[in-house]
């Protein structure tokens, strides 16, 4: 009977101790998880450090965890890895001199496409151009166009 | 107006073609190392053959040397091994072997079986020095100059071509300076 009571207390103690422990580790784990999802595994290249099972990814996760434990900030940890592996370890390429085209390129193309589209629409509306795509006579006043069509259809050349 | 219609798409196509052509010759597995032109990371590691002795990065200062990262478990290390043996025989440049994430006795057995081209081999048991050197695909080979600055990194096995066209000319150049 007493053994049971002692056991019950022991279990209760262990459970509360474990529960008291988790918040701290859970914070760190969540932080590491988020950080690892922003870092690339160099071996598999299209996987994040968090997703990869490559031995190097394991080593780098260990390294990241240790750096975090010594109080390094996320930015410092990233800097540590960039110094060794280059910007490629970052899943989000930083905005800097050699990447501005990468970041702005799609928007430039979008703006260019919009400009072309706008120009075409405007020209179509005005209808005053040498556009081959438009049907013949589309620039004429309606009466004239009808007359011309009649002429083309009914009169011998 | 009509000529423009012809020229603009052609020009866009030519530019696209240019990008794709360059893209074809790029190997996505070769990530340029940020360490080139920077001092080699300092290390102090036990040697493979005499674990009581260690080699530090300072020991190699004053001469041009190669750091070859290898392991007994590494398959493509076997393909570059004959070249390293030739290089050792020619005695052009000292090669330091970094036995990366390997069991020392397996590393020693591998060298016994295949021949030992290294001036000295050091053991990076947990891969820490490898991380400092930005190693991600064994084998890798670094060319380090007299001042201890990394000048070139070969990712993947050394080939006859890379040795003749890149590594050896660079080594000769650096030895002269």
């Amino acid at each position: 009977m007493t053994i049971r009571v002692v056991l019950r207390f022991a279990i209760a103690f262990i459970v509360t101790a474990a529960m008291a422990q988790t918040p701290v580790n859970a914070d760190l784990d969540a932080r590491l998880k988020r950080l690892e999802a922003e870092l690339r595994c160099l071996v598999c290249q299209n996987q994040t450090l968090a997703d990869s099972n490559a031995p190097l990814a394991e080593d780098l996760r260990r390294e990241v965890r240790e750096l975090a434990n010594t109080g390094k900030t996320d930015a410092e940890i990233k800097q540590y890895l960039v110094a060794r592996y280059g910007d490629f370890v970052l899943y989000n390429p930083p905005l800097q001199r050699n990447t501005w085209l990468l970041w702005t390129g799609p928007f430039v193309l979008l703006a260019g496409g919009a400009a072309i589209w706008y120009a075409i629409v405007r020209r179509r509306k005005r209808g005053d151009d040498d556009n081959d795509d438009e049907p013949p006579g589309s620039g004429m006043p309606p009466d004239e166009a009808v007359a011309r069509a009649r002429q083309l259809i009914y009169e011998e050349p | 107006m009509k000529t423009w219609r012809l020229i603009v798409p052609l020009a866009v196509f030519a530019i696209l073609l240019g990008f794709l052509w360059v893209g074809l010759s790029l190997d996505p597995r070769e990530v340029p190392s940020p360490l080139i032109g920077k001092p080699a990371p300092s290390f102090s590691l036990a040697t493979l053959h005499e674990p009581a002795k260690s080699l530090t990065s300072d020991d190699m200062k004053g001469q041009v040397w190669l750091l070859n990262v290898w392991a007994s478990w590494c398959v493509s290390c076997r393909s570059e091994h004959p070249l390293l043996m030739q290089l050792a025989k020619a005695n052009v440049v000292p090669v330091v072997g970094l036995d990366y994430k390997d069991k020392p006795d397996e590393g020693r057995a591998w060298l016994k079986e295949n021949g030992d081209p290294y001036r000295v081999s050091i053991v990076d048991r947990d891969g820490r020095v490898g991380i400092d050197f930005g190693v991600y695909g064994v084998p890798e080979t670094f060319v380090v100059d007299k001042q201890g600055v990394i000048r070139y990194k070969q990712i993947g096995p050394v080939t006859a071509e890379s040795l003749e066209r890149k590594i050896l000319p660079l080594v000769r150049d650096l030895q002269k300076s």
Side-chain angles (χ1 to χ4, degrees):
Chain A
M1 201 52 194
T2 42
I3 290 173
R4 255 197 195 168
V5 172
V6 170
L7 259 180
R8 218 169 259 182
F9 268 106
I11 289 167
F13 178 76
I14 289 166
V15 168
T16 35
M19 281 168 80
Q21 274 277 308
T22 38
V24 183
N25 286 336
D27 276 2
L28 181 68
D29 284 349
R31 185 188 151 201
L32 289 175
K33 196 92 198 145
R34 203 190 57 239
L35 192 59
E36 282 159 8
E38 290 171 26
L39 296 166
R40 188 189 303 274
C41 167
L42 272 295
V43 183
C44 0
Q45 301 207 333
N46 287 332
Q47 273 186 316
T48 64
L49 223 50
D51 295 336
S52 174
N53 290 319
L56 179 66
E58 277 168 32
D59 289 357
L60 288 177
R61 280 201 295 269
R62 178 198 64 198
E63 209 72 9
V64 166
R65 180 174 282 274
E66 279 174 19
L67 288 169
N69 276 332
T70 58
K72 292 267 194 293
T73 65
D74 288 5
E76 282 169 328
I77 292 171
K78 281 184 185 171
Q79 190 46 48
Y80 172 92
L81 288 170
V82 167
R84 284 160 180 75
Y85 292 99
D87 290 329
F88 193 62
V89 287
L90 304 174
Y91 243 98
N92 284 321
L95 184 54
Q96 54 196 27
R97 215 172 38 199
N98 60 354
T99 58
W100 67 266
L101 189 64
L102 181 71
W103 279 100
T104 57
F107 298 106
V108 170
L109 285 179
L110 185 68
I116 290 171
W117 174 75
Y118 182 71
I120 288 174
V121 165
R122 257 184 60 147
R123 218 165 53 190
R124 288 259 164 97
K125 262 191 184 154
R126 274 209 317 256
D128 60 346
D129 70 313
D130 53 353
N131 200 326
D132 293 337
D133 304 341
E134 290 182 36
S138 59
M140 294 178 192
D143 296 352
E144 211 177 298
V146 168
R148 175 91 182 104
R150 279 229 169 90
Q151 192 187 6
L152 281 172
I153 294 166
Y154 299 115
E155 284 172 26
E156 295 294 318
Chain B
M1 226 18 227
K2 267 193 181 162
T3 43
W4 271 111
R5 277 227 201 125
L6 200 67
I7 288 170
V8 170
L10 261 178
V12 170
F13 178 68
I15 291 168
L16 189 68
L17 211 65
F19 272 105
L20 293 176
W21 181 254
V22 172
L24 272 182
S25 64
L26 294 176
D27 181 359
R29 299 216 68 87
E30 284 194 13
V31 182
S33 173
L35 289 165
I36 289 164
K38 301 234 171 74
S42 61
F43 59 83
S44 174
L45 289 174
T47 62
L48 181 63
H49 296 292
E50 293 169 87
K53 279 191 186 166
S54 65
L55 182 86
T56 68
S57 37
D58 289 338
D59 294 339
M60 299 307 292
K61 285 246 168 88
Q63 57 182 328
V64 180
W65 57 288
L66 303 186
L67 180 77
N68 178 249
V69 185
W70 67 282
S72 67
W73 47 262
C74 156
V75 180
S76 42
C77 293
R78 288 170 190 272
S79 79
E80 67 169 8
H81 202 71
L83 283 167
L84 294 177
M85 291 301 289
Q86 278 177 29
L87 192 65
K89 209 175 270 174
N91 203 18
V92 191
V93 57
V95 184
V96 174
L98 182 74
D99 192 9
Y100 177 70
K101 297 200 72 178
D102 203 0
K103 296 194 181 85
D105 46 341
E106 285 176 15
R108 279 189 291 267
W110 196 85
L111 287 182
K112 206 169 192 180
E113 187 194 322
N114 297 290
D116 186 351
Y118 303 114
R119 179 71 56 93
V120 53
S121 271
I122 45 182
V123 186
D124 186 18
R125 194 80 180 78
D126 56 6
R128 282 246 155 70
V129 171
I131 289 176
D132 282 342
F133 272 87
V135 170
Y136 66 89
V138 188
E140 289 186 11
T141 305
F142 295 84
V143 179
V144 186
D145 71 9
K146 290 176 184 170
Q147 284 77 41
V149 174
I150 295 176
R151 303 305 286 263
Y152 179 73
K153 178 186 182 185
Q154 166 87 26
I155 296 161
V158 168
T159 59
E161 198 199 353
S162 68
L163 204 59
E164 284 307 320
R165 288 175 61 179
K166 289 253 174 70
I167 297 174
L168 285 178
L170 179 64
V171 163
R172 283 190 208 107
D173 250 29
L174 293 172
Q175 280 172 337
K176 265 181 247 160
S177 63

